[in-house]
Amino acid sequence: MTDGTLALTLNGETVSPRASGALWLPACRTLVVSDLHLGKAERNARRGGGFWPPYENVETLDRLEREIVALDPACVVTLGDSFDDDACVEGLDDETRARIGGMVAERRWIWVAGNHDPAPSGLGGQSADAVTLGPLTLRHIAEPGARGEVSGHYHPKASLRVRGRRIARKCFLASAERIVLPAFGAFTGGLDVFHEAFAPLFDRDACVILTGTRVAALPLARLRRMAA
């Protein structure tokens, strides 16, 4: 483990979870992020949920841009729910639209469809239901029984006690067969790693990779003891 990455083997391929919540695939120089949920504050206001601070697009794109500058990927894949709904694409202000368009224009960019945004369009790049890169399959929602799968959707998070204080972090959930990415978006919640939704996907040999200022990997069984 370094201060920002951790090398894992997934279906024979090296993958590197990043402290930001992005996943780096060094063999094909591909940066993978999931669940940006751009426009979440705008959608909440549009649906009568009140006004949230309108900074989530800037914060999310700032972090994504830092990863792109650090790694210089040949390709970026977003694993679905890049926008909080299709109307959020139309609601982008000109500055944000231009910023996204600039990032997309500089490299191969693939928008994987999610359940919130089945067909994001008008921003360049390609759209796909899933992407195959060597031994890996990248999709939005994990499929039980799949091998070499990279997915998102569930926004995994973990909580544990450290020096008597409970902390919660977005995290990756990984095994030898699959990895589920945390939500990359600034205003996204999460599903606890011990939720029953993960039971068909991971057994007790899975590990949790906490994000933050650096990555930290813990066996799921050990995390259960630390969370008690």
Side-chain angles (χ1 to χ4, degrees):
M1 183 173 66
T2 70
D3 60 350
T5 61
L6 174 73
L8 304 176
T9 300
L10 180 62
N11 206 27
E13 189 82 356
T14 298
V15 302
S16 295
R18 305 268 299 172
S20 67
L23 185 71
W24 176 238
L25 310 181
C28 55
R29 292 184 52 229
T30 295
L31 179 69
V32 186
V33 292
S34 189
D35 296 274
L36 304 178
H37 283 276
L38 297 168
K40 191 175 182 69
E42 182 271 331
R43 178 178 184 245
N44 187 67
R46 177 173 12 106
R47 296 195 171 193
F51 292 94
W52 294 345
Y55 307 122
E56 96 275 14
N57 287 352
V58 172
E59 182 179 333
T60 299
L61 293 175
D62 280 351
R63 289 190 296 110
L64 180 55
E65 199 165 58
R66 284 196 293 270
E67 289 295 88
I68 289 172
V69 169
L71 297 168
D72 188 24
C75 178
V76 173
V77 179
T78 69
L79 289 182
D81 288 1
S82 300
F83 297 88
D84 212 49
D85 64 11
D86 280 350
C88 290
V89 181
E90 299 301 322
L92 290 173
D93 61 82
D94 290 344
E95 182 178 352
T96 302
R97 182 179 294 275
R99 186 177 184 186
I100 295 171
M103 287 192 285
V104 172
E106 292 178 353
R107 58 196 50 82
R108 187 183 183 199
W109 195 290
I110 304 174
W111 305 98
V112 171
N115 58 296
H116 276 252
D117 57 354
S121 60
L123 295 169
Q126 307 166 241
S127 295
D129 291 329
V131 177
T132 299
L133 296 175
L136 304 180
T137 299
L138 285 59
R139 60 169 60 97
H140 181 58
I141 303 177
E143 296 183 359
R147 293 183 60 86
E149 182 184 72
V150 179
S151 66
H153 178 63
Y154 291 110
H155 304 194
K157 69 175 183 179
S159 61
L160 63 158
R161 289 189 179 276
V162 178
R163 298 185 180 92
R165 183 169 61 94
R166 183 172 294 277
I167 64 171
R169 295 278 181 86
K170 294 181 179 181
C171 67
F172 299 83
L173 192 53
S175 69
E177 287 75 36
R178 69 175 75 245
I179 185 166
V180 177
L181 273 63
F184 199 82
F187 278 10
T188 50
L191 192 64
D192 189 89
V193 292
F194 296 116
H195 190 278
E196 61 183 12
F198 293 114
L201 306 175
F202 295 97
D203 58 25
R204 63 184 61 191
D205 293 330
C207 74
V208 168
I209 302 158
L210 303 175
T211 64
T213 55
R214 63 179 183 176
V215 290
L218 292 169
L220 192 61
R222 182 182 174 193
L223 179 66
R224 188 182 295 275
R225 294 193 297 272
M226 295 178 70

